[in-house]
Amino acid sequence: ILFTLNPRSTIVFDEYLYPQNTILKTSAGFELNPRGGFYQIFLPIWGALLLLIIGFHLFRYLRFRRQLSGRLTLPSEPQQTEFAFQKAAMGIRRPVSLLYYDAPVSPFTCGILRPCVVLTPIVSPDMVSMAIRHELQHIRSWDFFFRAAAFLVLLLHCFNPFSYLFWREFRAVQEEACDEKITSGLSPEQIRGYGHALVELSLSIQKKSFYSAALAPKKHRQIQRRIVRLGIRSHKKSVGAGICLA
């Protein structure tokens, strides 16, 4: 049975399987009728919703670019040195740039083909190494490529409310996976320090951007979920160390 949106074969049987004339029986089999009542209603609604979502995100993207315009500068020498060290230690050979954005936002990463890590003033000197490693992990895992693919799925299924739940969960899982990889070789005390740093950064954020992978989200529910997972991993490591000592 062949299903297409534009039947190319001639209709030889005037026989309809559904009252709305959605499926036709033709010489090539059963095909979808683009003139059916369902498609006359569904396709315009889907197209209008798709254009609305694309226009909304295009507006936000242009506003994001405008906010960054003229405010990006080179970071300090110690930050550049730490960035080069962490990039080499993580085995990242792709060209990645490091910039500084003078605004009270979380450090973030943006770009797929030419990624850029952006540090901000809310990152204290003792958090620079952790922040750089977190953002480089996003680049190492190609998170932006997979996020773009997931956003394409969201656009195609924009009529499905579950697709928005999938999109939110997908972004949350990316951040949790990044936390897990960054803290995989740390001690329980270091993991707790990482969690405290996330909380401090989250409380200092005044705004966020949709078009970046940020270290600490502004929404407290998201940061609480990440802290809980870090606490579980820290507890497991503590229990494992106690068993080994015993």
Side-chain angles (χ1 to χ4, degrees):
I1 299 178
L2 176 65
F3 292 97
T4 61
L5 289 177
N6 297 308
R8 297 181 180 179
S9 56
T10 59
I11 301 175
V12 296
F13 299 98
D14 187 13
E15 179 180 350
Y16 299 99
L17 300 184
Y18 291 98
Q20 295 181 339
N21 300 343
T22 302
I23 300 179
L24 301 176
K25 186 175 182 180
T26 68
S27 58
F30 294 97
E31 299 180 348
L32 294 179
N33 179 15
R35 297 183 298 275
F38 175 78
Y39 289 100
Q40 289 179 351
I41 298 175
F42 174 76
L43 290 181
I45 294 177
W46 177 78
L49 184 59
L50 186 63
L51 291 177
L52 180 63
I53 294 176
I54 293 176
F56 172 73
H57 287 293
L58 180 61
F59 169 76
R60 292 189 61 182
Y61 173 73
L62 294 177
R63 186 177 64 176
F64 171 67
R65 291 287 301 268
R66 186 170 61 251
Q67 290 174 352
L68 295 180
S69 178
R71 301 186 63 180
L72 292 175
T73 59
L74 292 177
S76 63
E77 189 66 29
Q79 291 175 342
Q80 296 184 38
T81 302
E82 181 65 24
F83 177 78
F85 172 78
Q86 295 293 347
K87 184 173 177 287
M90 298 178 69
I92 299 177
R93 299 181 179 180
R94 299 171 56 194
V96 182
S97 57
L98 178 68
L99 294 174
Y100 182 83
Y101 179 42
D102 187 15
V105 298
S106 172
F108 59 90
T109 300
C110 56
I112 299 178
L113 300 179
R114 293 180 298 177
C116 175
V117 175
V118 180
L119 297 178
T120 61
I122 69 172
V123 181
S124 60
D126 56 333
M127 296 182 185
V128 170
S129 178
M130 179 268 293
I132 290 177
R133 283 183 57 83
H134 182 95
E135 301 307 328
L136 288 177
Q137 183 59 49
H138 280 299
I139 298 174
R140 185 183 184 185
S141 302
W142 290 86
D143 282 348
F144 259 101
F145 173 79
F146 294 108
R147 184 172 296 189
F151 185 66
L152 179 61
V153 173
L154 174 65
L155 291 178
L156 295 177
H157 296 269
C158 58
F159 56 88
N160 186 352
F162 290 101
S163 62
Y164 299 93
L165 297 177
F166 156 76
W167 170 249
R168 185 175 64 180
E169 183 67 16
F170 181 83
R171 297 181 66 188
V173 168
Q174 277 191 328
E175 293 298 332
E176 292 171 9
C178 187
D179 292 339
E180 183 174 352
K181 292 176 181 177
I182 290 299
T183 59
S184 59
L186 302 182
S187 64
E189 291 76 15
Q190 291 174 321
I191 294 177
R192 285 191 286 269
Y194 180 86
H196 287 304
L198 290 180
V199 173
E200 292 180 10
L201 289 175
S202 179
L203 294 176
S204 303
I205 297 173
Q206 295 184 9
K207 54 185 178 179
K208 65 174 184 175
S209 172
F210 176 85
Y211 298 97
S212 62
L215 170 60
K218 184 175 176 61
K219 295 183 178 179
H220 293 168
R221 183 175 298 180
Q222 295 179 6
I223 199 70
Q224 181 181 8
R225 172 174 166 175
R226 291 169 62 181
I227 293 300
V228 169
R229 291 187 62 88
L230 288 173
I232 293 175
R233 296 189 66 248
S234 175
H235 177 71
K236 288 183 178 179
K237 285 198 171 187
S238 298
V239 173
I243 293 175
C244 292
L245 291 175

